Amino acid sequence: MAIVEQERTAVVLSEWFPAYVWLAYNPCLTLDLLEPLSGAVVRLFPRTDNTMASYLAWCDLATLARRTYHLNITVSKVLEKNATLEQKERCIDLLDFLCEQRE
């Protein structure tokens, strides 16, 4: 299972990567929303930003989910490792990044 921030990202990536169940949350992913996912393997894909705020917030949330619900949850580092400073300033998400890589 993969969780992203925007519905459009979940829809498109469900076509590109059908092996995952793609979910989007809006407006805010909270600990209680993760409880029903107990037993699933969950990967979070936060958007990027130039302060790492989204990534760090999702890391904190994943840590709480692991402790509280014993959830198998991780946070992807793909954008933090690979996005340029300009992309981070635009706060791109995984779909934006993959589309820009294809250009």
Side-chain angles (χ1 to χ4, degrees):
M1 179 164 306
I3 300 177
V4 294
E5 295 186 38
Q6 297 185 33
E7 291 92 356
R8 70 176 179 91
T9 299
V11 169
V12 172
L13 295 183
S14 69
E15 289 292 318
W16 290 0
F17 303 100
Y20 290 94
V21 173
W22 290 89
L23 301 174
Y25 81 89
N26 192 3
C28 184
L29 185 61
T30 58
L31 183 62
D32 60 313
L33 294 175
L34 295 172
E35 183 179 14
L37 303 179
S38 184
V41 176
V42 179
R43 181 88 177 214
L44 303 176
F45 292 91
R47 65 178 171 78
T48 193
D49 61 72
N50 57 358
T51 65
M52 292 181 64
S54 293
Y55 175 78
L56 294 174
W58 282 35
C59 286
D60 290 345
L61 182 62
T63 298
L64 283 172
R66 281 192 292 277
R67 288 182 188 158
T68 306
Y69 304 125
H70 308 288
L71 194 60
N72 184 354
I73 187 169
T74 58
V75 180
S76 173
K77 297 177 184 175
V78 69
L79 291 177
E80 292 308 319
K81 286 185 173 181
N82 298 302
T84 66
L85 181 57
E86 186 271 331
Q87 288 172 318
K88 290 179 181 183
E89 288 173 352
R90 289 188 287 124
C91 299
I92 67 166
D93 69 357
L94 186 58
L95 179 60
D96 297 324
F97 180 76
L98 293 173
C99 288
E100 290 176 19
Q101 294 300 308
R102 290 180 168 203
E103 293 178 351

